[in-house]
Amino acid sequence: MRSVNPESLNDPVKGLSNTALGLCGESGEVADMVKKHLHQGHELDKEHLAKELGDVTWYLALGATIIGYELEDILQMNIDKLRKRYPDGFDSQKSQHREKGDE
């Protein structure tokens, strides 16, 4: 977090705003690269895409820090959730018809 604007760490509202807007912006850059590759004939620059995914991850880490979590813990929570949802691997029926409380 040494590269974050200290205001984002000192003011949770600014931190969450920075997180959400940063994720939108960087995810948009990822989406634009994929769109151009799939629909406009551009070569996919995997190294550039990897860097943009790194930017997305940086904002995820910021958001985790703002809410008092370690990014690794959030990632494990997601793995645990998906293992419970899809114990035998992805299932489109389970995806379409989730149990109550499965977020």
Side-chain angles (χ1 to χ4, degrees):
M1 291 293 101
R2 69 178 185 213
S3 60
V4 68
N5 181 335
E7 289 183 8
S8 288
L9 297 177
N10 297 330
D11 181 342
V13 172
K14 286 185 179 180
L16 289 174
S17 174
N18 191 9
T19 297
L21 295 171
L23 282 170
C24 289
E26 297 300 338
S27 297
E29 290 188 45
V30 169
D32 194 51
M33 290 181 69
V34 172
K35 174 202 68 172
K36 287 179 179 179
H37 173 63
L38 294 176
H39 300 285
Q40 297 175 1
H42 292 235
E43 288 294 318
L44 182 62
D45 184 340
K46 291 181 182 179
E47 183 175 346
H48 185 189
L49 182 58
K51 289 177 181 178
E52 297 301 338
L53 291 171
D55 290 341
V56 169
T57 305
W58 187 92
Y59 281 104
L60 289 173
L62 174 62
T65 299
I66 298 298
I67 64 171
Y69 282 80
E70 294 293 325
L71 179 58
E72 292 79 10
D73 294 335
I74 290 175
L75 296 173
Q76 187 61 54
M77 289 166 62
N78 187 256
I79 290 168
D80 295 343
K81 174 183 77 173
L82 293 175
R83 280 187 180 150
K84 182 179 177 188
R85 185 180 297 162
Y86 306 116
D88 300 315
F90 179 77
D91 180 316
S92 62
Q93 287 299 313
K94 288 182 180 181
S95 175
Q96 295 171 23
H97 306 286
R98 292 191 194 163
E99 294 181 17
K100 185 175 181 176
D102 181 11
E103 302 168 342

